[in-house]
Amino acid sequence: MLREDFINELKIENEELQFQLKDLEYLIQLKEEELADLKKTSQNIIELQSKLDQNLYQFEQMQNFIGNQQQQAEGALRREASMEEEMIDSMKAEKSYYEIREEFKSNKLALNDLNQQMNEVVALYHQITDLKNKITSLQSDLEISNLDNKFLKEELFNYKNQTPS
């Protein structure tokens, strides 16, 4: 009677472990999907950083150009009309500078946010590793329980065969 209760308890525990294992596998799948999404986001950050670097380079080129043009304009009064055109270009470049500066600030904030998300991904990766280790342990415990069940069944069978009915 006690052995049957013990066997029933082992079966119930075995079923509970199976459900827990399925839940853990589902959680791992969700975390892997999140990790894939974060990798895509990381790639987008790299592309944005490249665009930002390119914009900054163009801005520096524009600043150099404006400086050269202003030096030439100061030395040549007869080119006053062309100087006005260059001043208009300069205003456009300055406007572009402020737009680029704002875009840089926005991209910097986005980069900081993505760095934070990457830190969270690392934490999630560690959780996934811990969960995988727990799953391995649970699987090992399950195999041991299955072996114990098998041995108990064999003992019960042998016991029933040895005792006269």
Side-chain angles (χ1 to χ4, degrees):
M1 188 71 151
L2 285 175
R3 290 183 184 221
E4 286 180 15
D5 289 342
F6 180 71
I7 290 172
N8 286 336
E9 284 181 30
L10 284 177
K11 286 181 182 178
I12 291 170
E13 286 179 13
N14 190 13
E15 289 175 5
E16 288 174 0
L17 288 173
Q18 289 292 335
F19 285 122
Q20 289 176 359
L21 181 60
K22 287 179 183 176
D23 286 344
L24 289 174
E25 289 173 345
Y26 176 72
L27 288 174
I28 288 172
Q29 180 185 1
L30 289 177
K31 296 300 179 183
E32 288 175 347
E33 290 172 4
E34 287 178 13
L35 186 59
D37 288 343
L38 288 173
K39 285 181 181 178
K40 287 179 186 176
T41 303
S42 176
Q43 183 62 35
N44 289 339
I45 289 173
I46 291 169
E47 291 173 10
L48 286 174
Q49 185 66 41
S50 175
K51 286 180 182 179
L52 179 63
D53 290 342
Q54 187 178 23
N55 287 342
L56 288 175
Y57 176 75
Q58 289 176 353
F59 175 72
E60 288 174 2
Q61 294 299 317
M62 280 191 253
Q63 282 184 326
N64 291 335
F65 174 75
I66 291 169
N68 289 337
Q69 293 300 318
Q70 286 177 341
Q71 288 176 359
Q72 291 175 8
E74 290 171 358
L77 292 175
R78 60 191 164 102
R79 295 189 55 199
E80 188 175 334
S82 66
M83 178 68 172
E84 288 177 7
E85 254 181 62
E86 291 172 11
M87 292 296 283
I88 291 172
D89 290 341
S90 174
M91 289 176 171
K92 288 179 183 177
E94 187 173 343
K95 180 182 175 187
S96 181
Y97 163 76
Y98 288 117
E99 290 172 356
I100 291 171
R101 187 174 74 178
E102 290 303 317
E103 185 177 341
F104 174 76
K105 287 179 184 177
S106 175
N107 288 340
K108 189 174 180 180
L109 289 173
L111 181 61
N112 288 339
D113 187 44
L114 288 171
N115 282 334
Q116 182 180 358
Q117 288 180 3
M118 285 300 290
N119 289 337
E120 291 172 5
V121 166
V122 169
L124 287 174
Y125 179 76
H126 289 298
Q127 284 180 336
I128 288 171
T129 302
D130 290 341
L131 288 173
K132 285 182 180 179
N133 289 339
K134 287 179 183 177
I135 287 171
T136 303
S137 176
L138 287 172
Q139 286 174 336
S140 176
D141 290 344
L142 179 61
E143 289 176 11
I144 290 170
S145 294
N146 286 338
L147 285 174
D148 285 344
N149 282 343
K150 182 179 175 181
F151 290 133
L152 287 171
K153 285 179 184 179
E154 288 176 8
E155 284 181 19
L156 181 61
F157 177 77
N158 289 337
Y159 178 77
K160 285 182 179 181
N161 288 337
Q162 289 176 356
T163 58
S165 301

